Coordinates of all heavy atoms in Angstrom, one line a residue:
M1 N 0.8 -1.2 0.0 CA 0.0 0.0 0.0 C 0.9 1.2 0.0 O 1.9 1.3 0.6 CB -0.9 0.0 1.2 CG -1.9 -1.0 1.2 SD -3.0 -0.8 2.7 CE -3.8 -2.3 2.7
A2 N 0.4 2.2 -0.7 CA 1.2 3.5 -0.7 C 1.1 4.2 0.6 O 0.2 4.0 1.4 CB 0.6 4.4 -1.8
G3 N 2.1 5.0 0.8 CA 2.1 5.8 2.1 C 2.9 5.2 3.2 O 3.7 4.3 3.0
P4 N 2.8 5.8 4.4 CA 3.6 5.3 5.5 C 3.4 3.9 5.8 O 2.3 3.3 5.6 CB 3.1 6.2 6.7 CG 2.5 7.4 6.0 CD 1.9 6.9 4.7
D5 N 4.4 3.2 6.3 CA 4.4 1.8 6.7 C 3.4 1.7 7.9 O 3.6 2.4 8.9 CB 5.8 1.4 7.1 CG 5.9 -0.1 7.4 OD1 4.9 -0.8 7.4 OD2 7.0 -0.5 7.7
T6 N 2.5 0.8 7.8 CA 1.5 0.5 8.9 C 1.7 -0.8 9.6 O 0.9 -1.3 10.3 CB 0.1 0.6 8.4 OG1 0.0 -0.4 7.3 CG2 -0.2 2.0 7.8
N7 N 2.9 -1.4 9.4 CA 3.1 -2.7 10.0 C 2.9 -2.8 11.5 O 2.4 -3.7 12.1 CB 4.5 -3.3 9.7 CG 4.6 -3.7 8.2 OD1 3.6 -4.2 7.7 ND2 5.7 -3.7 7.6
E8 N 3.4 -1.8 12.2 CA 3.3 -1.7 13.7 C 1.9 -1.6 14.1 O 1.4 -2.3 15.1 CB 4.2 -0.6 14.3 CG 5.6 -0.9 14.3 CD 6.0 -2.2 14.9 OE1 5.6 -2.5 16.0 OE2 6.8 -3.0 14.3
E9 N 1.1 -0.8 13.4 CA -0.3 -0.6 13.7 C -1.1 -1.9 13.5 O -1.9 -2.3 14.2 CB -1.0 0.5 12.9 CG -0.6 1.9 13.3 CD 0.6 2.4 12.6 OE1 1.4 1.6 12.0 OE2 0.8 3.7 12.6
I10 N -0.7 -2.6 12.4 CA -1.4 -3.9 12.1 C -1.1 -4.9 13.2 O -2.0 -5.6 13.7 CB -0.9 -4.4 10.7 CG1 -1.4 -3.5 9.6 CG2 -1.3 -5.8 10.5 CD1 -0.8 -3.7 8.2
K11 N 0.2 -5.0 13.6 CA 0.6 -6.0 14.7 C -0.2 -5.6 16.0 O -0.7 -6.5 16.6 CB 2.1 -5.9 14.9 CG 2.9 -6.5 13.8 CD 4.4 -6.4 14.1 CE 5.2 -6.8 12.9 NZ 6.6 -6.6 13.1
S12 N -0.2 -4.4 16.3 CA -0.9 -4.0 17.6 C -2.4 -4.3 17.5 O -2.9 -4.8 18.5 CB -0.7 -2.5 17.8 OG 0.7 -2.2 18.0
T13 N -3.0 -4.0 16.4 CA -4.4 -4.2 16.3 C -4.7 -5.7 16.3 O -5.7 -6.1 16.9 CB -5.0 -3.6 15.0 OG1 -4.6 -2.2 15.0 CG2 -6.5 -3.7 14.9
A14 N -3.9 -6.5 15.7 CA -4.1 -8.0 15.7 C -3.9 -8.5 17.1 O -4.7 -9.4 17.5 CB -3.0 -8.6 14.8
Q15 N -3.0 -7.9 17.9 CA -2.9 -8.4 19.3 C -4.1 -8.0 20.1 O -4.6 -8.8 20.9 CB -1.6 -7.7 19.9 CG -0.3 -8.3 19.4 CD 0.9 -7.5 19.9 OE1 0.8 -6.4 20.3 NE2 2.0 -8.1 19.9
V16 N -4.7 -6.9 19.9 CA -5.9 -6.5 20.6 C -7.1 -7.5 20.2 O -7.8 -8.0 21.1 CB -6.3 -5.1 20.3 CG1 -7.7 -4.8 20.8 CG2 -5.3 -4.1 20.9
I17 N -7.2 -7.8 18.9 CA -8.3 -8.7 18.5 C -8.0 -10.1 19.1 O -9.0 -10.7 19.5 CB -8.3 -8.7 16.9 CG1 -8.8 -7.4 16.4 CG2 -9.2 -9.9 16.4 CD1 -8.7 -7.2 14.9
D18 N -6.8 -10.5 19.1 CA -6.5 -11.8 19.7 C -6.9 -11.8 21.2 O -7.4 -12.8 21.8 CB -5.1 -12.2 19.5 CG -4.7 -12.6 18.1 OD1 -5.7 -12.8 17.3 OD2 -3.5 -12.6 17.8
W19 N -6.6 -10.7 21.9 CA -6.9 -10.6 23.3 C -8.4 -10.6 23.6 O -8.8 -11.1 24.6 CB -6.3 -9.3 23.8 CG -6.7 -9.0 25.2 CD1 -6.1 -9.4 26.4 CD2 -7.8 -8.2 25.6 NE1 -6.8 -9.0 27.5 CE2 -7.9 -8.2 27.0 CE3 -8.8 -7.5 25.0 CZ2 -8.9 -7.5 27.8 CZ3 -9.8 -6.8 25.7 CH2 -9.8 -6.9 27.1
L20 N -9.2 -10.1 22.7 CA -10.6 -10.1 22.9 C -11.2 -11.4 23.3 O -12.0 -11.5 24.3 CB -11.4 -9.5 21.7 CG -11.2 -8.1 21.4 CD1 -11.9 -7.8 20.0 CD2 -11.8 -7.2 22.4
S21 N -10.8 -12.5 22.7 CA -11.3 -13.8 22.9 C -10.9 -14.3 24.3 O -11.6 -15.1 24.9 CB -11.0 -14.8 21.9 OG -9.6 -15.0 21.8
E22 N -9.8 -13.8 24.8 CA -9.3 -14.3 26.1 C -9.6 -13.3 27.3 O -9.9 -13.7 28.4 CB -7.8 -14.5 26.1 CG -7.4 -15.5 25.0 CD -5.9 -15.4 24.8 OE1 -5.2 -14.6 25.5 OE2 -5.4 -16.1 23.9
G23 N -9.6 -12.0 27.0 CA -9.6 -11.0 28.1 C -10.9 -10.2 28.2 O -11.2 -9.7 29.3
L24 N -11.7 -10.1 27.2 CA -12.8 -9.3 27.2 C -13.9 -9.7 28.2 O -14.4 -8.9 29.0 CB -13.5 -9.1 25.8 CG -14.7 -8.3 25.8 CD1 -14.5 -6.8 26.2 CD2 -15.3 -8.3 24.4
Q25 N -14.2 -11.0 28.2 CA -15.2 -11.5 29.1 C -14.9 -11.3 30.5 O -15.9 -11.0 31.3 CB -15.4 -13.1 28.8 CG -16.6 -13.6 29.5 CD -17.9 -13.0 28.9 OE1 -18.1 -13.0 27.7 NE2 -18.8 -12.5 29.8
N26 N -13.7 -11.3 30.9 CA -13.3 -11.0 32.3 C -13.6 -9.6 32.8 O -13.8 -9.3 34.0 CB -11.8 -11.3 32.6 CG -11.5 -12.7 32.3 OD1 -12.3 -13.6 32.6 ND2 -10.3 -12.9 31.9
L27 N -13.8 -8.6 31.8 CA -14.0 -7.2 32.1 C -15.5 -6.9 32.1 O -15.9 -5.8 32.5 CB -13.3 -6.3 31.2 CG -11.8 -6.5 31.2 CD1 -11.1 -5.6 30.1 CD2 -11.2 -6.1 32.6
L28 N -16.3 -7.8 31.5 CA -17.8 -7.6 31.4 C -18.5 -8.1 32.6 O -18.1 -9.0 33.3 CB -18.3 -8.3 30.1 CG -17.7 -7.9 28.8 CD1 -18.2 -8.8 27.7 CD2 -18.1 -6.4 28.5
P29 N -19.7 -7.5 32.9 CA -20.5 -8.0 34.0 C -20.9 -9.5 33.7 O -20.9 -9.9 32.5 CB -21.8 -7.1 33.9 CG -21.3 -5.9 33.2 CD -20.3 -6.3 32.3
Q30 N -21.1 -10.2 34.7 CA -21.4 -11.7 34.6 C -22.6 -12.0 33.6 O -22.5 -12.9 32.9 CB -21.7 -12.3 35.9 CG -20.4 -12.7 36.6 CD -20.7 -13.6 37.9 OE1 -21.7 -13.3 38.5 NE2 -19.9 -14.5 38.2
H31 N -23.6 -11.1 33.7 CA -24.8 -11.4 32.8 C -24.6 -11.0 31.4 O -25.5 -11.2 30.6 CB -26.0 -10.7 33.5 CG -25.9 -9.2 33.4 ND1 -25.2 -8.5 34.3 CD2 -26.5 -8.3 32.6 CE1 -25.3 -7.2 34.1 NE2 -26.1 -7.1 33.0
V32 N -23.5 -10.4 31.0 CA -23.2 -9.9 29.7 C -22.2 -10.9 29.1 O -21.1 -11.2 29.6 CB -22.6 -8.5 29.6 CG1 -22.3 -8.1 28.2 CG2 -23.6 -7.5 30.2
K33 N -22.6 -11.5 27.9 CA -21.7 -12.5 27.2 C -21.2 -11.9 26.0 O -22.0 -11.4 25.1 CB -22.5 -13.8 26.9 CG -23.0 -14.5 28.1 CD -21.9 -15.0 29.0 CE -22.4 -15.7 30.2 NZ -21.5 -15.7 31.3
A34 N -19.9 -11.9 25.8 CA -19.3 -11.3 24.6 C -19.6 -12.3 23.4 O -19.5 -13.5 23.5 CB -17.8 -11.2 24.8
N35 N -20.0 -11.7 22.3 CA -20.2 -12.4 21.0 C -19.2 -11.9 20.0 O -19.4 -10.8 19.5 CB -21.6 -12.2 20.5 CG -21.9 -13.0 19.3 OD1 -21.0 -13.6 18.7 ND2 -23.1 -13.0 18.8
L36 N -18.2 -12.7 19.8 CA -17.1 -12.3 18.9 C -17.2 -12.9 17.6 O -16.2 -13.0 16.8 CB -15.7 -12.5 19.6 CG -15.5 -11.8 20.9 CD1 -14.2 -12.3 21.6 CD2 -15.5 -10.3 20.7
N37 N -18.3 -13.4 17.2 CA -18.5 -14.0 15.9 C -18.3 -13.0 14.8 O -17.9 -13.4 13.7 CB -19.9 -14.7 15.7 CG -19.9 -15.9 16.6 OD1 -19.0 -16.6 16.8 ND2 -21.1 -16.2 17.1
K38 N -18.6 -11.8 15.0 CA -18.4 -10.7 14.1 C -17.8 -9.5 14.8 O -18.4 -9.0 15.7 CB -19.7 -10.3 13.4 CG -20.4 -11.3 12.6 CD -21.6 -10.8 11.9 CE -22.3 -11.9 11.1 NZ -23.5 -11.4 10.4
V39 N -16.6 -9.2 14.3 CA -15.9 -8.0 14.9 C -15.8 -7.0 13.8 O -15.3 -7.3 12.7 CB -14.6 -8.4 15.5 CG1 -13.8 -7.2 16.0 CG2 -14.8 -9.4 16.6
G40 N -16.2 -5.8 14.0 CA -16.1 -4.8 13.0 C -14.9 -3.9 13.3 O -14.7 -3.5 14.4
L41 N -14.2 -3.5 12.2 CA -13.1 -2.6 12.3 C -13.3 -1.5 11.3 O -13.8 -1.7 10.2 CB -11.7 -3.3 12.0 CG -11.2 -4.3 12.9 CD1 -9.9 -4.9 12.4 CD2 -10.9 -3.6 14.3
A42 N -13.0 -0.3 11.7 CA -13.1 0.8 10.8 C -11.9 1.7 11.0 O -11.3 1.8 12.1 CB -14.4 1.6 11.0
G43 N -11.6 2.5 10.0 CA -10.5 3.4 10.2 C -10.4 4.4 9.0 O -11.1 4.2 8.0
H44 N -9.7 5.5 9.2 CA -9.5 6.5 8.2 C -8.0 6.7 8.0 O -7.2 6.7 9.0 CB -10.1 7.8 8.7 CG -9.9 9.0 7.7 ND1 -8.9 9.8 7.8 CD2 -10.6 9.3 6.7 CE1 -8.9 10.7 6.8 NE2 -10.0 10.4 6.1
S45 N -7.6 6.7 6.8 CA -6.2 6.9 6.4 C -5.4 5.7 6.9 O -5.7 4.6 6.5 CB -5.7 8.2 6.9 OG -4.5 8.5 6.3
R46 N -4.4 5.9 7.8 CA -3.6 4.8 8.3 C -4.5 3.7 9.0 O -4.3 2.5 8.9 CB -2.5 5.2 9.2 CG -1.4 5.9 8.5 CD -0.4 6.4 9.5 NE 0.4 5.3 10.0 CZ 1.7 5.4 10.1 NH1 2.4 6.5 9.8 NH2 2.4 4.4 10.6
G47 N -5.5 4.2 9.7 CA -6.4 3.2 10.4 C -7.2 2.4 9.3 O -7.5 1.2 9.6
G48 N -7.5 3.0 8.2 CA -8.2 2.3 7.2 C -7.3 1.2 6.6 O -7.7 0.1 6.2
K49 N -6.0 1.6 6.4 CA -5.1 0.6 5.9 C -5.0 -0.6 6.8 O -4.9 -1.7 6.4 CB -3.7 1.2 5.7 CG -3.6 2.2 4.5 CD -2.2 2.7 4.5 CE -2.1 3.8 3.4 NZ -0.7 4.3 3.4
T50 N -4.9 -0.3 8.1 CA -4.8 -1.3 9.1 C -6.0 -2.2 9.1 O -5.9 -3.4 9.1 CB -4.6 -0.7 10.5 OG1 -3.4 0.2 10.5 CG2 -4.5 -1.7 11.6
S51 N -7.2 -1.6 9.1 CA -8.4 -2.4 9.1 C -8.5 -3.3 7.9 O -8.9 -4.5 7.9 CB -9.7 -1.5 9.1 OG -9.7 -0.7 10.3
F52 N -8.2 -2.7 6.7 CA -8.2 -3.5 5.5 C -7.2 -4.6 5.5 O -7.5 -5.7 5.1 CB -8.0 -2.6 4.3 CG -8.0 -3.3 3.0 CD1 -9.2 -3.6 2.4 CD2 -6.8 -3.6 2.3 CE1 -9.3 -4.3 1.2 CE2 -6.9 -4.3 1.1 CZ -8.1 -4.6 0.5
A53 N -6.0 -4.4 6.0 CA -5.0 -5.4 6.0 C -5.4 -6.6 6.9 O -5.2 -7.8 6.5 CB -3.7 -4.8 6.5
L54 N -6.0 -6.3 8.0 CA -6.5 -7.4 8.9 C -7.6 -8.1 8.3 O -7.7 -9.4 8.4 CB -6.8 -6.8 10.3 CG -5.6 -6.4 11.1 CD1 -6.0 -5.6 12.3 CD2 -4.8 -7.6 11.5
A55 N -8.6 -7.4 7.7 CA -9.7 -8.1 7.1 C -9.2 -9.0 5.9 O -9.7 -10.1 5.7 CB -10.7 -7.1 6.6
L56 N -8.3 -8.5 5.1 CA -7.7 -9.2 4.0 C -7.0 -10.5 4.5 O -7.2 -11.6 3.9 CB -6.8 -8.4 3.2 CG -6.2 -9.0 1.9 CD1 -7.3 -9.4 1.0 CD2 -5.3 -8.0 1.2
K57 N -6.2 -10.4 5.5 CA -5.5 -11.5 6.1 C -6.6 -12.6 6.5 O -6.4 -13.8 6.3 CB -4.7 -11.1 7.3 CG -3.9 -12.3 7.9 CD -3.1 -11.9 9.0 CE -2.4 -13.1 9.6 NZ -1.7 -12.8 10.8
R58 N -7.6 -12.1 7.2 CA -8.7 -13.1 7.7 C -9.3 -13.7 6.5 O -9.6 -14.9 6.5 CB -9.7 -12.3 8.5 CG -10.9 -13.1 8.9 CD -11.0 -13.3 10.3 NE -12.2 -13.9 10.6 CZ -12.3 -15.0 11.4 NH1 -11.3 -15.5 11.9 NH2 -13.5 -15.5 11.6
L59 N -9.6 -13.0 5.4 CA -10.3 -13.5 4.3 C -9.4 -14.6 3.6 O -9.8 -15.6 3.2 CB -10.6 -12.4 3.3 CG -11.2 -12.8 1.9 CD1 -12.6 -13.4 2.1 CD2 -11.2 -11.7 1.0
L60 N -8.1 -14.3 3.5 CA -7.2 -15.2 2.8 C -7.0 -16.5 3.6 O -6.6 -17.5 3.1 CB -5.8 -14.5 2.5 CG -5.9 -13.4 1.5 CD1 -4.5 -12.7 1.4 CD2 -6.4 -13.9 0.2
Q61 N -7.1 -16.4 4.9 CA -7.0 -17.6 5.8 C -8.3 -18.4 5.9 O -8.2 -19.5 6.4 CB -6.5 -17.2 7.2 CG -5.1 -16.6 7.2 CD -4.7 -16.1 8.6 OE1 -5.6 -15.9 9.4 NE2 -3.4 -16.0 8.8
S62 N -9.3 -17.8 5.4 CA -10.6 -18.4 5.5 C -10.7 -19.6 4.6 O -10.2 -19.7 3.5 CB -11.7 -17.4 5.2 OG -13.0 -18.1 5.0
E63 N -11.5 -20.6 5.0 CA -11.7 -21.8 4.2 C -12.6 -21.4 3.0 O -12.7 -22.2 2.0 CB -12.3 -22.9 5.0 CG -11.4 -23.5 6.0 CD -12.1 -24.6 6.8 OE1 -13.2 -24.9 6.6 OE2 -11.4 -25.1 7.7
A64 N -13.3 -20.3 3.1 CA -14.2 -19.9 2.0 C -13.4 -19.5 0.8 O -14.0 -19.5 -0.3 CB -15.1 -18.7 2.5
V65 N -12.2 -19.1 0.9 CA -11.4 -18.7 -0.3 C -10.7 -20.0 -0.8 O -10.0 -20.7 -0.1 CB -10.3 -17.7 0.1 CG1 -9.4 -17.4 -1.0 CG2 -11.0 -16.5 0.7
P66 N -11.0 -20.3 -2.1 CA -10.4 -21.5 -2.7 C -8.9 -21.4 -2.8 O -8.3 -20.3 -2.9 CB -11.0 -21.5 -4.1 CG -11.6 -20.2 -4.4 CD -11.8 -19.5 -3.1
Q67 N -8.2 -22.5 -2.7 CA -6.8 -22.6 -2.8 C -6.4 -22.3 -4.3 O -7.2 -22.5 -5.2 CB -6.3 -24.0 -2.4 CG -6.6 -24.3 -1.0 CD -5.8 -23.5 0.0 OE1 -4.7 -23.1 -0.3 NE2 -6.4 -23.1 1.1
T68 N -5.2 -21.8 -4.5 CA -4.7 -21.6 -5.8 C -4.6 -23.0 -6.5 O -4.1 -23.9 -6.0 CB -3.3 -20.9 -5.8 OG1 -3.5 -19.7 -5.0 CG2 -2.8 -20.6 -7.2
L69 N -5.1 -23.0 -7.8 CA -5.0 -24.3 -8.5 C -3.7 -24.4 -9.2 O -3.1 -23.4 -9.7 CB -6.1 -24.3 -9.6 CG -7.5 -24.2 -9.1 CD1 -8.5 -24.2 -10.3 CD2 -7.9 -25.4 -8.2
S70 N -3.2 -25.6 -9.3 CA -2.0 -25.9 -10.1 C -2.4 -25.7 -11.6 O -3.5 -25.7 -12.0 CB -1.5 -27.3 -9.9 OG -2.4 -28.2 -10.4
S71 N -1.4 -25.7 -12.5 CA -1.7 -25.5 -13.9 C -2.5 -26.7 -14.4 O -3.4 -26.5 -15.3 CB -0.4 -25.3 -14.7 OG 0.5 -26.4 -14.5
E72 N -2.2 -27.9 -13.9 CA -3.0 -29.1 -14.3 C -4.4 -29.0 -13.9 O -5.4 -29.3 -14.7 CB -2.4 -30.4 -13.7 CG -1.2 -30.9 -14.4 CD -0.7 -32.2 -13.8 OE1 -1.4 -32.8 -13.0 OE2 0.4 -32.6 -14.2
E73 N -4.6 -28.5 -12.7 CA -6.0 -28.3 -12.2 C -6.7 -27.2 -12.9 O -7.9 -27.4 -13.2 CB -6.0 -28.0 -10.7 CG -5.5 -29.1 -9.8 CD -5.3 -28.7 -8.4 OE1 -4.7 -27.6 -8.1 OE2 -5.6 -29.5 -7.5
E74 N -6.1 -26.2 -13.3 CA -6.7 -25.1 -14.1 C -7.1 -25.6 -15.4 O -8.2 -25.3 -15.9 CB -5.7 -23.9 -14.2 CG -5.6 -23.1 -13.0 CD -4.6 -21.9 -13.3 OE1 -4.1 -21.8 -14.4 OE2 -4.4 -21.2 -12.3
E75 N -6.2 -26.5 -16.0 CA -6.6 -27.0 -17.3 C -7.8 -27.9 -17.2 O -8.7 -27.9 -18.1 CB -5.4 -27.8 -17.8 CG -5.5 -28.3 -19.3 CD -4.2 -28.9 -19.8 OE1 -3.1 -28.4 -19.5 OE2 -4.3 -30.0 -20.4
R76 N -7.9 -28.8 -16.2 CA -9.0 -29.7 -16.0 C -10.3 -28.8 -15.8 O -11.3 -29.2 -16.3 CB -8.8 -30.6 -14.8 CG -7.9 -31.8 -15.2 CD -8.0 -32.9 -14.1 NE -7.8 -32.5 -12.8 CZ -6.6 -32.5 -12.2 NH1 -5.6 -33.0 -12.8 NH2 -6.5 -32.1 -10.9
E77 N -10.2 -27.8 -15.0 CA -11.3 -26.9 -14.7 C -11.8 -26.3 -16.0 O -13.0 -26.2 -16.3 CB -11.0 -25.8 -13.7 CG -10.8 -26.3 -12.3 CD -12.1 -26.7 -11.6 OE1 -13.1 -26.0 -11.8 OE2 -12.1 -27.7 -10.9
G78 N -10.9 -25.9 -16.9 CA -11.2 -25.3 -18.1 C -11.9 -26.3 -19.0 O -12.9 -26.0 -19.7
E79 N -11.4 -27.5 -19.0 CA -12.0 -28.6 -19.9 C -13.5 -28.9 -19.4 O -14.4 -29.0 -20.2 CB -11.2 -29.9 -19.8 CG -9.9 -29.7 -20.5 CD -8.9 -30.9 -20.3 OE1 -9.4 -31.9 -19.6 OE2 -7.8 -30.9 -20.8
L80 N -13.6 -29.0 -18.0 CA -15.0 -29.2 -17.5 C -15.9 -28.1 -17.9 O -17.1 -28.3 -18.2 CB -14.9 -29.4 -16.0 CG -14.2 -30.7 -15.5 CD1 -14.1 -30.6 -14.0 CD2 -15.1 -31.9 -15.9
W81 N -15.5 -26.9 -17.8 CA -16.3 -25.7 -18.1 C -16.7 -25.7 -19.5 O -17.9 -25.5 -19.9 CB -15.5 -24.4 -17.8 CG -16.4 -23.2 -18.0 CD1 -17.3 -22.7 -17.1 CD2 -16.5 -22.4 -19.1 NE1 -17.9 -21.6 -17.6 CE2 -17.4 -21.3 -18.9 CE3 -15.8 -22.4 -20.3 CZ2 -17.7 -20.4 -19.8 CZ3 -16.1 -21.4 -21.3 CH2 -17.1 -20.4 -21.0
T82 N -15.8 -26.1 -20.4 CA -16.0 -26.1 -21.9 C -17.1 -27.2 -22.2 O -18.0 -27.0 -22.9 CB -14.7 -26.3 -22.7 OG1 -13.8 -25.3 -22.3 CG2 -15.0 -26.3 -24.2
E83 N -16.9 -28.4 -21.5 CA -17.8 -29.5 -21.8 C -19.3 -29.1 -21.3 O -20.2 -29.6 -21.9 CB -17.4 -30.7 -21.0 CG -16.1 -31.4 -21.5 CD -15.6 -32.5 -20.6 OE1 -16.3 -32.8 -19.6 OE2 -14.5 -33.0 -20.9
N84 N -19.4 -28.3 -20.3 CA -20.7 -28.0 -19.8 C -21.4 -26.8 -20.5 O -22.5 -26.5 -20.2 CB -20.6 -27.7 -18.3 CG -20.3 -28.9 -17.5 OD1 -20.8 -30.0 -17.8 ND2 -19.5 -28.7 -16.4
Q85 N -20.7 -26.2 -21.5 CA -21.3 -25.1 -22.2 C -22.2 -25.6 -23.4 O -22.1 -26.5 -24.0 CB -20.2 -24.2 -22.7 CG -19.5 -23.5 -21.6 CD -20.4 -22.7 -20.7 OE1 -21.2 -21.9 -21.1 NE2 -20.3 -22.9 -19.4

């Protein structure tokens, strides 16, 4: 990304997000349960770069993103697509 290096902000923010699953519940009243299934991040300028970088890392690590295909697999996928047209 263009502009100042945001690596330190990315690392710090990732540490906070990791801490949430372990430390947040201890700070909440007993009757309040933390739901960390969806965590929203937002930012402007450098903060936007940080938020985007963390979201992108999560997306790339997700099982929902297909693995890169080898050239043989790409060729087979192309053949299957052509046959089905």
Side-chain angles (χ1 to χ4, degrees):
M1 291 185 194
D5 185 0
T6 58
N7 285 332
E8 288 305 312
E9 287 91 342
I10 292 168
K11 289 176 188 175
S12 297
T13 305
Q15 289 174 339
V16 170
I17 292 171
D18 291 342
W19 172 86
L20 288 173
S21 63
E22 302 165 5
L24 178 60
Q25 192 62 52
N26 296 330
L27 299 175
L28 297 174
Q30 275 189 325
H31 66 281
V32 175
K33 300 294 179 205
N35 180 354
L36 300 175
N37 290 327
K38 293 183 180 182
V39 175
L41 290 177
H44 178 267
S45 194
R46 285 178 77 136
K49 289 180 185 181
T50 301
S51 298
F52 181 76
L54 289 168
L56 183 60
K57 180 180 179 188
R58 172 118 172 126
L59 176 67
L60 294 175
Q61 290 175 341
S62 168
E63 293 178 358
V65 176
Q67 298 293 323
T68 304
L69 299 177
S70 69
S71 57
E72 280 183 13
E73 291 170 322
E74 284 181 2
E75 190 173 315
R76 281 196 306 265
E77 288 288 322
E79 290 171 4
L80 290 173
W81 184 84
T82 305
E83 289 172 7
N84 291 325
Q85 295 302 313

